[in-house]
Amino acid sequence: MKKVLTNMVVDIILAVLLLALGIVMLPAVTSFGSIVLDVIVAILLVLYLAFFLFDRMVKSRGTVRVLTMIEFALIALIAIGLVFKQLKILNLGTTCQIVGVVIWLRGITGTFRGYIVSTAEGKRRFTILMFALSVLMVTAGAYLFAKPLFTDENIIYILAVSLIIGAVVLLIYALAYARRPAKRSKSKSGESKSSDN
C-alpha cells in the first residue's frame, strides 16, 4: 500500500478512476449506482454465506442444522435474485429490506436454537444474553423490512461521495509525493558536497 501511495502516476490514475466512478454513480447523473449497489450487496451476502453461515451450518446438528440450511438457502436465493434484478426478471426489495430479512433469519435461527438447547448443558453454550440478542435481531429485522430506515438512493450517495473523497485524498498524496523528490535531491547534493570536502 505504501508503494501505491508514494507513486505519483498510480495515485493520479486511481484518483481519476475513482472520481469518474463516483460521478457516474450519483443518482442524479445515471442509474449505474443502483447496479453497483446490487452487486456490492450480492458480494457481501456471498461472503457472509461463505465465511460465517457455512461454518455454523456444518457445526450445528439436528433441527438447528435444518434451520441454518433453510437460512443459507434463502440468503443464497436473495443473492441470486439481485443478479436477476439487473436482468429485470425479478424485483427484490430495497437494500435496507434485504438487510432486515438477513438479520431476521439469523434471529429466528438463534431463537429456535436457544429453545432447542434449553437443557442445563445447552444453557452453558447458549446464554440468556445470546437468546436476548436473537430476539432483538428478530425485532430489528422485522422493523427494517417493514419500515426501512434508509433508501437505496441514500446508500448510493454515500458510496459516490466516498469515492470522490477517496479521489481527492489520492490527489493530495500525489501532490505531496511530487514535492518530496526535490527535497531528497537537495539533501543528496549536500551529502555529495560534504563527501568531496
Side-chain angles (χ1 to χ4, degrees):
M1 188 67 183
K2 282 186 178 180
K3 288 181 180 179
V4 172
L5 294 176
T6 55
N7 190 330
M8 187 178 69
V9 177
V10 174
D11 286 348
I12 290 172
I13 291 169
L14 285 175
V16 169
L17 289 173
L18 288 178
L19 185 63
L21 185 60
I23 291 169
V24 170
M25 277 186 64
L26 288 169
V29 179
T30 63
S31 62
F32 181 69
S34 63
I35 296 169
V36 173
L37 179 63
D38 287 340
V39 169
I40 289 171
V41 173
I43 290 169
L44 290 174
L45 288 177
V46 169
L47 291 174
Y48 172 73
L49 291 174
F51 294 106
F52 177 77
L53 206 56
F54 183 77
D55 185 52
R56 293 284 174 128
M57 188 171 60
V58 170
K59 288 181 179 176
S60 59
R61 292 190 178 115
T63 309
V64 176
R65 176 178 273 185
V66 172
L67 287 169
T68 310
M69 287 170 73
I70 293 168
E71 180 185 0
F72 189 95
L74 288 173
I75 294 172
L77 286 172
I78 292 170
I80 293 165
L82 286 168
V83 175
F84 286 117
K85 185 179 176 183
Q86 302 311 315
L87 302 172
K88 308 292 182 193
I89 296 172
L90 183 67
N91 190 12
L92 293 175
T94 64
T95 302
C96 188
Q97 289 176 320
I98 291 169
V99 170
V101 168
V102 172
I103 291 171
W104 184 81
L105 286 169
R106 182 89 297 258
I108 286 289
T109 306
T111 306
F112 273 98
R113 182 175 167 230
Y115 174 76
I116 291 164
V117 295
S118 58
T119 60
E121 186 182 336
K123 283 180 181 175
R124 290 189 206 127
R125 288 179 290 143
F126 197 85
T127 62
I128 190 70
L129 182 64
M130 290 171 72
F131 185 75
L133 182 63
S134 296
V135 172
L136 181 67
M137 288 173 80
V138 170
T139 308
Y143 183 82
L144 286 173
F145 184 81
K147 191 177 180 182
L149 297 176
F150 48 86
T151 63
D152 285 355
E153 194 171 294
N154 297 138
I155 301 169
I156 293 166
Y157 270 116
I158 291 167
L159 287 172
V161 170
S162 300
L163 288 171
I164 293 168
I165 290 170
V168 171
V169 169
L170 282 172
L171 282 174
I172 291 169
Y173 270 108
L175 292 172
Y177 183 72
R179 294 180 181 177
R180 285 185 187 163
K183 291 178 181 177
R184 286 179 183 171
S185 61
K186 285 179 184 176
S187 63
K188 284 180 182 177
S189 62
E191 287 172 10
S192 61
K193 283 179 183 177
S194 61
S195 63
D196 289 341
N197 294 333

